Amino acid sequence: MGGAGVTHRTASTNPCAHTVMMDKHPFDLALKLSPNEPGVYSGATSTAYWNMVGPFGGITAATALKAVLLHPALLGEPISLTVNYAGPLADGPFEVAAKPVRTNRSTQHWLIEMTQANAGGADEVMLTATALTAVRRPTWGSEDSPMPTVAAPAGFAEEKPMTGVEWIHRYDMRFVEGAFPIEWKGQGNSSLSRLWMRDTPARALDFCSLTAMADIFFPRVYLRRALRVPAGTVSITVYFHANGAQLGESGTGYLLGQAKAQTFRNGFFDQTSQLWNEAGLLLATTNQIVYYKE
Amino acid sequence: MGGAGVTHRTASTNPCAHTVMMDKHPFDLALKLSPNEPGVYSGATSTAYWNMVGPFGGITAATALKAVLLHPALLGEPISLTVNYAGPLADGPFEVAAKPVRTNRSTQHWLIEMTQANAGGADEVMLTATALTAVRRPTWGSEDSPMPTVAAPAGFAEEKPMTGVEWIHRYDMRFVEGAFPIEWKGQGNSSLSRLWMRDTPARALDFCSLTAMADIFFPRVYLRRALRVPAGTVSITVYFHANGAQLGESGTGYLLGQAKAQTFRNGFFDQTSQLWNEAGLLLATTNQIVYYKE
């Protein structure tokens, strides 16, 4: 990892950027972490990925994963990641610590914590996460969730689903179905969205950007009710079905994302989602539980 | 919580048993925890819930949740739980520690760790988990995952899906679809199971027993391939959609569980599942990622 304070990164030490040039991409700038000691990094929120009352949850989850991927003791590649949002990060510096709590022959278990000094100067826990990384081996396999048959990305217009939210501008989103409501009159009847998505400007896919895109789906309650109800993700889990080579093959192509809720009840609903690349390979499945106010 | 070493529990201090009498149920005996200090408990594995090379994962996940529910600082009820199995518990004592790392106005974030002394006497991390508890408030809601239409539990025979595994005998399972294969000739073509389930002997449902039942589905690779491939859950996430009162209303009735895999690839597959009570209320949705060997 180099000594403390070393911030120059190369392709070999930055698992979330394939070339040094990509350090200039807004995503890589947002994910810039400086090592304090192995597994403990300083970072800062990015206004480029600002949401309503804190950063876009996807960029925060990607930052948690990056702390794991940067760790000198890392074994294998990501298999699962669960991120719990304890409170919204304020605009400014934070610290993220990733600790391998158990390393087996081919699997490794991680605890991740993100802290930020509050107004009184005391460190507060802003995020907790766990991750599993593993060395994958070739096995029998079966692709049991074929990508829905939809027209190619070029056949759909780029849309910005929400206004007044900066991070939306960091993605090219093309809704196939279940776009952000244009009218807010309570006319909703489904929570299903399908959309093509990629970073803008285009950026080669990796585990961090896939993690961020797993959180790209706007709150299902907006769509289901066609009402703008205060809502925010409290916990997200991502299962990575592809290895790094398969993500590399996805390149700068679009991903097809699909999301729907299973139930809305007493202040919380879930979202269950899939992400395929343009070739139809299922890259990740992801679930989240979301708070909503009314 | 009473002082250290106090093991007598009453309904008010044991959230996983509704009456003192239930302390005699095998589930409650398996989940017996003795407080060392607030949030830190001693327990022991139960042969009644033994799996192949360790306890049934569901009982271990339920134990992690129970440590949260027993904590004197608990706020609200469970919303989500993610359990990572770092290694199989050996038959014997263990320690489980639950720590509220952040408490907001109506939500609380938890870290849980289970440790066990290894052969050399050193403590090893056997499980890490995170949980979110919250005070739920009535809101608009929508039940968007109706229970599949199936015949009542009495219409199906009780089956023990696996032989040579003790925990199977702690559940009454009645398969509607996707039962454990009778022949192992690679003839499988679907990973979908639907089954009625409840504790045996019957026991009133609570958050701990619901958590255990979220892990009742045998590895989807057995069904999909109709081959007995070595497999084990590495991480499970449960979203609780019902509150304690709704679980109470479920009583000792059956739950309908549904599970299927989305993909199998290079050593890991996922399982995505739902659990409804007999009245058709969706109580929990759950996902897991499972290692398989070939």
Side-chain angles (χ1 to χ4, degrees):
Chain A
M1 283 314 311
V6 172
T7 56
H8 175 77
R9 296 170 297 170
T10 65
S12 64
T13 59
N14 180 1
C16 291
H18 290 303
T19 68
V20 174
M21 277 187 64
M22 293 191 90
D23 274 4
K24 298 199 176 151
H25 191 285
F27 188 77
D28 295 289
L29 293 173
L31 256 62
K32 193 169 170 176
L33 293 177
S34 304
N36 300 324
E37 53 184 283
V40 183
Y41 305 90
S42 292
T45 59
S46 164
T47 51
Y49 286 86
W50 206 251
N51 196 4
M52 283 174 280
V53 289
F56 164 48
I59 203 84
T60 308
T63 303
L65 182 64
K66 190 177 175 190
V68 169
L69 297 181
L70 285 173
H71 199 291
L74 174 67
L75 177 71
E77 293 188 323
I79 302 296
S80 72
L81 172 73
T82 292
V83 170
N84 301 288
Y85 300 98
L89 285 163
D91 189 17
F94 59 77
E95 190 170 271
V96 56
K99 184 180 167 191
V101 293
R102 173 131 174 194
T103 302
N104 297 316
R105 197 166 44 185
S106 63
T107 59
Q108 192 170 45
H109 288 264
W110 295 86
L111 276 182
I112 306 124
E113 202 169 77
M114 197 178 281
T115 54
Q116 193 174 47
N118 65 16
D123 277 346
E124 265 194 311
V125 174
M126 309 309 287
L127 168 152
T128 64
T130 57
L132 174 80
T133 58
V135 177
R136 284 181 179 271
R137 297 196 173 87
T139 60
W140 171 88
S142 184
E143 305 295 329
D144 288 356
S145 298
M147 183 166 77
T149 304
V150 302
F156 301 93
E158 192 184 342
E159 291 177 59
K160 297 298 174 206
M162 289 180 269
T163 53
V165 173
E166 184 57 30
W167 70 270
I168 286 292
H169 300 285
R170 303 290 87 76
Y171 291 99
D172 174 349
M173 300 188 208
R174 294 159 187 258
F175 281 88
V176 175
E177 188 176 347
F180 208 65
I182 294 165
E183 290 195 307
W184 299 93
K185 296 180 175 173
Q187 78 279 11
N189 59 19
S190 162
S191 70
L192 176 68
S193 285
R194 288 174 173 160
L195 70 153
W196 289 110
M197 61 177 87
R198 67 172 180 181
D199 287 297
T200 185
R203 178 182 176 283
L205 190 71
D206 58 28
F207 286 108
C208 292
S209 62
L210 178 59
T211 297
M213 283 191 261
D215 190 40
I216 210 169
F217 309 98
F218 62 84
R220 300 295 87 196
V221 70
Y222 291 4
L223 183 63
R224 180 65 182 77
R225 299 193 72 181
L227 285 179
R228 288 194 85 151
V229 174
T233 304
V234 288
S235 184
I236 182 171
T237 291
V238 184
Y239 295 153
F240 301 96
H241 299 294
N243 59 25
Q246 289 168 323
L247 298 190
E249 288 161 17
S250 305
T252 57
Y254 287 83
L255 303 188
L256 183 74
Q258 173 174 281
K260 69 179 178 63
Q262 296 183 95
T263 197
F264 301 82
R265 198 188 304 156
N266 294 338
F268 293 89
F269 65 88
D270 72 319
Q271 300 191 180
T272 184
S273 311
Q274 297 81 27
L275 295 136
W276 295 267
N277 69 9
E278 280 189 70
L281 188 71
L282 184 66
L283 302 181
T285 51
T286 176
N287 290 272
Q288 59 178 261
I289 186 104
V290 185
Y291 163 81
Y292 67 109
K293 194 166 182 181
E294 56 202 40
Chain B
M1 281 311 311
V6 172
T7 57
H8 176 77
R9 295 168 299 172
T10 66
S12 65
T13 60
N14 180 1
C16 292
H18 291 303
T19 69
V20 174
M21 277 186 64
M22 294 191 88
D23 274 5
K24 299 200 176 151
H25 192 283
F27 187 79
D28 296 288
L29 293 173
L31 257 61
K32 194 169 169 176
L33 294 177
S34 304
N36 300 325
E37 54 185 284
V40 182
Y41 305 90
S42 292
T45 58
S46 164
T47 52
Y49 286 86
W50 206 251
N51 197 4
M52 283 175 279
V53 290
F56 165 47
I59 203 83
T60 309
T63 303
L65 183 65
K66 190 178 175 189
V68 169
L69 298 181
L70 284 173
H71 199 290
L74 174 67
L75 176 72
E77 293 188 323
I79 302 295
S80 72
L81 172 73
T82 293
V83 170
N84 302 287
Y85 301 97
L89 285 163
D91 188 17
F94 59 77
E95 190 171 272
V96 57
K99 185 179 166 191
V101 292
R102 174 132 172 192
T103 301
N104 298 316
R105 197 167 41 185
S106 63
T107 60
Q108 193 170 45
H109 289 264
W110 295 85
L111 276 182
I112 306 122
E113 201 168 77
M114 198 177 282
T115 53
Q116 194 173 45
N118 65 17
D123 277 346
E124 266 195 309
V125 174
M126 309 309 286
L127 169 152
T128 63
T130 58
L132 175 79
T133 58
V135 178
R136 285 181 178 271
R137 297 197 173 87
T139 59
W140 171 89
S142 183
E143 304 296 328
D144 287 357
S145 298
M147 183 166 76
T149 304
V150 301
F156 301 92
E158 192 185 341
E159 291 177 59
K160 297 298 174 206
M162 289 181 270
T163 54
V165 173
E166 185 56 31
W167 71 268
I168 286 292
H169 301 286
R170 305 290 87 74
Y171 291 99
D172 175 349
M173 302 187 207
R174 294 160 187 254
F175 282 87
V176 175
E177 187 177 347
F180 207 67
I182 294 167
E183 290 194 306
W184 299 94
K185 297 180 173 172
Q187 78 279 12
N189 59 20
S190 162
S191 70
L192 176 68
S193 286
R194 288 172 173 161
L195 70 154
W196 289 110
M197 61 176 88
R198 68 172 178 180
D199 287 296
T200 185
R203 178 183 177 281
L205 191 70
D206 57 28
F207 286 109
C208 292
S209 63
L210 179 59
T211 297
M213 282 191 261
D215 191 39
I216 209 169
F217 309 99
F218 62 84
R220 300 295 88 195
V221 70
Y222 292 3
L223 184 62
R224 180 64 181 80
R225 298 194 72 182
L227 285 178
R228 287 194 86 151
V229 174
T233 303
V234 287
S235 184
I236 183 171
T237 291
V238 183
Y239 295 152
F240 301 95
H241 298 295
N243 60 24
Q246 290 167 322
L247 299 190
E249 287 161 17
S250 305
T252 58
Y254 287 83
L255 304 188
L256 183 74
Q258 173 175 280
K260 68 179 178 67
Q262 296 181 96
T263 197
F264 301 83
R265 198 189 304 157
N266 293 338
F268 293 90
F269 64 89
D270 72 320
Q271 298 191 184
T272 184
S273 311
Q274 296 82 25
L275 295 136
W276 295 267
N277 69 10
E278 280 190 70
L281 188 70
L282 184 65
L283 302 181
T285 51
T286 176
N287 290 273
Q288 60 177 260
I289 185 105
V290 185
Y291 162 80
Y292 67 110
K293 195 168 179 180
E294 55 202 39

